[in-house]
Amino acid sequence: MEEYFYTAASRIEVINKVKDSKFFASIAPINNEEDANDFVGNIKNKYHDASHNVSAYKLGTGDQAIKYSNDDGEPAGSSGPPVLQAIEGEGLSNTVIVVTRYFGGTKLGIGGLIRAYGNSAKLAIKEAGIKKLELFDKLIISGTYQLIGTILGQIEAVGGQILSTDYKNDGGDINVLIRPVNYQTLEKKLIEHTGNKVDIRVVERVYL
């Protein structure tokens, strides 16, 4: 998994007028394909009377990335791909855009459509802003009461974030966020300073 990626910072909508047509570009950050499909479906319902609801999204990074675009009745390649290109051109992942067109009577031609849809998507990205999400390991570290102070100190020493501490009869469970690059250092320090008397579990990896 990548250490970080960029996504849309907010969910917004912008209007772009091109000749007699109006283009409503809606953008949102997403976590999975279900989020993307729900967003596209909601926009299509909202603008059910529009000429076209063109959509595109990208999920993930690198070779594992999922890329999707749909021309929704516009000439093949004239609308969906330019919207996807706008997402990729800004280096975004986990982002969906729907560009809704209300045809005003003047044909734009293939080149005009490519520019209109691409520029509408870029306007949406600009208005939404871009947010950096970083990869973290979510841990549960367990130890006796005598070791809690030592554990907390070592977590802070490597830049870990203590989310909460759940106390039990024989000790406590500490919920922690830490960058993967610092995980082995923390593990080594905890083993050394506690005589290997702690339990460290990686619960999940999350982007925040």
Side-chain angles (χ1 to χ4, degrees), residues 5 12 28 35-37 43 50 61 80 119 126 129 132 138 165 190:
F5 68 85
I12 59 96
D35 287 350
N37 292 330
I43 296 300
T61 58
N119 289 338
K126 182 178 180 181
K132 181 180 182 180
K138 192 172 184 179
T165 302
L190 287 174

Side-chain angles (χ1 to χ4, degrees), residues 142-144 147 150-151 186-200:
S142 303
T144 63
L147 296 175
T150 299
I151 295 170
L186 175 61
E187 183 181 46
K188 182 179 179 181
K189 284 180 174 290
L190 287 174
I191 290 172
E192 289 177 353
H193 287 81
T194 68
N196 199 17
K197 294 180 180 179
V198 293
D199 179 56
I200 309 170

Side-chain angles (χ1 to χ4, degrees), residues 51-116:
S51 306
H52 308 278
N53 284 289
V54 169
S55 58
Y57 63 79
K58 181 183 176 183
L59 282 161
T61 58
D63 295 336
Q64 303 301 315
I66 298 172
K67 303 175 185 180
Y68 171 87
S69 66
N70 188 309
D71 293 308
D72 195 38
E74 291 282 29
S78 67
S79 48
V83 174
L84 179 59
Q85 178 56 46
I87 295 172
E88 293 192 274
E90 293 295 336
L92 302 184
S93 295
N94 290 37
T95 301
V96 60
I97 296 177
V98 181
V99 180
T100 300
R101 181 189 184 190
Y102 281 90
F103 180 59
T106 301
K107 292 185 177 180
L108 301 179
I110 298 297
L113 288 173
I114 291 173
R115 289 189 295 274

Side-chain angles (χ1 to χ4, degrees), residues 157-170:
V158 298
Q161 180 183 349
I162 299 165
L163 300 177
S164 64
T165 302
D166 302 320
Y167 291 102
K168 304 180 294 185
N169 291 334
D170 57 349

Side-chain angles (χ1 to χ4, degrees), residues 108-148:
L108 301 179
I110 298 297
L113 288 173
I114 291 173
R115 289 189 295 274
Y117 278 102
N119 289 338
S120 297
K122 290 176 183 177
L123 285 173
I125 293 170
K126 182 178 180 181
E127 287 299 315
I130 295 174
K131 177 172 63 176
K132 181 180 182 180
L133 293 180
E134 297 185 70
L135 182 65
F136 288 88
D137 283 333
K138 192 172 184 179
L139 314 177
I140 296 179
I141 303 174
S142 303
T144 63
Y145 282 114
Q146 292 79 8
L147 296 175
I148 292 296

